[in-house]
Amino acid sequence: MENNTFEYVVPCHFGMEAVLKREIMALGYEIVNVADGRVTFRGDEKAIARANIFLRTAERVLLCVGRFKARTFDELFEATKAIPWGDYIPVNGKFWVKKASTAKSQLFSSSDIQSIVKKAIVERLKMTYRVDWFKEDGDEYPLRVFILKDEVTLALDTTGESLHKRGYRKLTGKAPVSETLAAALIMLTPWNKDRILVDPFCGSGTFPIEAAMIGANIAPGMNREFTAEAWKHLLPMKGWYDAVTEANDLICNDVEMRIQGYDIDGEVIKVAMANAREAGVDHLIHFQQRPVSELRHPKKYGFVITNPPYGERLEEKEALPALYTDIGNAFRHLDSWSYYVLTSYEDAERYIGRKADKNRKIYNGMIKTYFYQFMGPKPPKRVDNRRFN
């Protein structure tokens, strides 16, 4: 705290830790630890704003205020009370333990952990502010507690509403992929802004919109608010303005991309177009009502990244063999392309008619899905004629 260096814990989708780690390092921060579903890094107070505004694949940004071993509730209480909470929470701050999660530890009752941590903070703040009762009518300071193998991490939630709430998706289609997961899946592939990208089941447009934002270098958190904006004693408002200015300066306004979103449902296409307008990328995406059976493209070496129907309802399940056969047929027409398909449908490869080169297990919400990766050939390297002139 003295040298204004903090530790931040950043949760993400399981399996996406390497993508998030890359993003954090690109912002110039030092990685402390990578664990299942979270990355810990070290940064200054400006990282509160920069991480929230720039990270595409993070769920939230947590400011770590304490880490210690605790096997009993007494140890939990005393170690929590020993933290200088007055450095973080003002006398009128509204604070509560929003979530407590525990694994492989002696302490396992989330509700007890929540109430003991709250009690310990109250006792410490009573000593700090010399008062017996707190109004808690000021700014919000939500806390999260993680206990893994008896090691407790206490962290303040700087984000508020999850980072997947970019602000552009006013409406969604069925079984949507979250914005953070869509961005992570795109960043797992070799796609870049110079390559064609098509989503034949675009729904409310999340894959095409996230790809357009990546290609145009539009920071995902520019148009929303964060809980920590009110924590001026930790990061003055200038820190937030500076981060937004930095984000604005990095946008590539003149970028040209070939991103297409198709869906069989015309109403859903209207939703996707409205969402793309809201995100400021509607000029970069071509949306069209079209079934997957009509998926064609004259150019080579493109990418399909898509989340087709899973058949969660029984009557939809019956239509899946025919649908995935259509997907396979469409892919065969685009024989130099690469395809990335997120689905929970167990027989996807069978009806697509090809075994995936790779697949990854990923949870989309509570649904276990697989990210099937069918790799196409690499495009030939272009010769740079300028060297010979």
Side-chain angles (χ1 to χ4, degrees):
M1 185 97 194
E2 294 75 48
N3 59 0
N4 282 345
T5 301
F6 299 93
E7 221 169 76
Y8 298 91
V9 180
V10 188
C12 63
H13 273 86
F14 280 93
M16 298 299 154
E17 299 84 4
V19 183
L20 176 56
K21 178 185 170 183
R22 261 202 323 268
E23 279 202 278
I24 292 167
M25 288 168 71
L27 286 178
Y29 299 121
E30 177 199 347
I31 302 294
V32 174
N33 182 42
V34 179
D36 281 351
R38 73 179 64 120
V39 178
T40 304
F41 74 92
R42 213 169 269 123
D44 58 8
E45 69 278 9
K46 290 178 185 168
I48 296 175
R50 292 184 75 234
N52 273 302
I53 287 168
F54 282 99
L55 293 179
R56 297 182 192 281
T57 63
E59 292 303 306
R60 56 187 63 252
V61 179
L62 307 172
L63 172 61
C64 184
V65 294
R67 188 174 278 129
F68 51 83
K69 286 269 185 196
R71 291 182 181 84
T72 67
F73 286 125
D74 279 348
E75 287 173 358
L76 178 66
F77 182 87
E78 293 303 331
T80 302
K81 191 179 161 191
I83 293 167
W85 289 101
D87 290 352
Y88 302 95
I89 302 172
V91 67
N92 67 338
K94 181 184 178 186
F95 59 97
W96 72 103
V97 181
K98 187 163 188 178
K99 192 173 179 190
S101 61
T102 169
K104 300 175 186 167
S105 302
Q106 298 290 311
L107 302 176
F108 55 83
S109 164
S110 294
S111 55
D112 288 338
I113 292 162
Q114 284 170 288
S115 63
I116 283 160
V117 168
K118 167 86 182 192
K119 220 173 280 179
I121 299 170
V122 168
E123 289 308 312
R124 175 68 186 218
L125 291 178
K126 277 182 182 176
M127 290 156 53
T128 305
Y129 295 122
R130 303 189 191 291
V131 295
D132 285 330
W133 186 73
F134 296 95
K135 277 187 179 175
E136 295 197 49
D137 57 357
D139 297 317
E140 296 187 343
Y141 293 82
L143 258 150
R144 291 185 175 236
V145 182
F146 305 101
I147 308 180
L148 177 63
K149 294 178 183 168
D150 301 318
E151 184 173 273
V152 181
T153 302
L154 300 178
L156 285 165
D157 181 359
T158 71
T159 302
E161 252 198 318
S162 170
L163 287 176
H164 79 268
K165 298 275 177 75
R166 313 280 206 228
Y168 68 73
R169 199 160 77 169
K170 304 300 182 199
L171 300 155
T172 59
K174 287 181 288 192
V177 168
S178 76
E179 294 86 330
T180 44
L181 180 55
L185 293 172
I186 293 165
M187 290 162 79
L188 263 183
T189 77
W191 178 81
N192 67 62
K193 66 181 189 302
D194 301 325
R195 306 280 292 272
I196 302 156
L197 176 66
V198 177
D199 180 356
F201 298 94
C202 72
S204 52
T206 311
F207 275 126
I209 292 168
E210 288 296 321
M213 288 174 75
I214 291 167
N217 214 10
I218 298 169
M222 283 177 68
N223 298 313
R224 52 159 289 171
E225 294 175 342
F226 304 97
T227 299
E229 284 177 51
W231 305 353
K232 296 180 182 63
H233 57 299
L234 288 174
L235 180 65
M237 222 40 223
K238 184 181 182 304
W240 293 93
Y241 294 142
D242 287 350
V244 170
T245 301
E246 180 190 355
N248 266 316
D249 290 346
L250 291 169
I251 295 173
C252 310
N253 286 312
D254 55 352
V255 70
E256 285 181 23
M257 285 184 278
R258 289 166 297 176
I259 298 175
Q260 284 142 29
Y262 303 134
D263 203 284
I264 198 165
D265 184 337
E267 290 308 306
V268 163
I269 288 291
K270 285 179 195 163
V271 167
M273 289 165 90
N275 289 342
R277 264 195 308 277
E278 199 70 40
V281 293
D282 50 315
H283 61 297
L284 299 171
I285 307 168
H286 171 69
F287 287 109
Q288 192 182 341
Q289 182 179 358
R290 184 193 284 198
V292 71
S293 57
E294 290 174 22
L295 178 59
R296 302 282 186 278
H297 205 287
K299 294 272 198 289
K300 289 167 111 46
Y301 308 114
F303 282 74
V304 169
I305 304 178
T306 194
N307 176 42
Y310 305 164
E312 290 308 301
R313 291 202 296 271
L314 202 59
E315 65 273 19
E316 290 173 352
K317 245 190 173 56
E318 290 164 8
L320 292 185
L323 179 67
Y324 281 77
T325 301
D326 283 348
I327 293 172
N329 289 336
F331 288 177
R332 277 186 284 283
H333 285 293
L334 300 167
D335 57 355
S336 66
W337 284 44
S338 298
Y339 321 100
Y340 297 83
V341 179
L342 182 73
T343 179
S344 68
Y345 183 43
E346 300 284 343
D347 288 327
E349 289 169 303
R350 178 182 160 199
Y351 288 106
I352 286 171
R354 178 177 160 190
K355 187 147 179 54
D357 298 296
K358 285 186 191 169
N359 85 46
R360 254 174 197 260
K361 185 165 46 171
I362 288 162
Y363 280 88
N364 181 13
M366 298 308 290
I367 303 167
K368 183 172 79 173
T369 62
Y370 289 91
F371 192 45
Y372 293 105
Q373 301 164 60
F374 303 90
M375 312 298 194
K378 283 184 179 165
K381 282 199 164 62
R382 276 183 295 196
V383 176
D384 189 347
N385 292 316
R386 289 171 301 183
R387 286 182 302 170
F388 304 108
N389 294 336

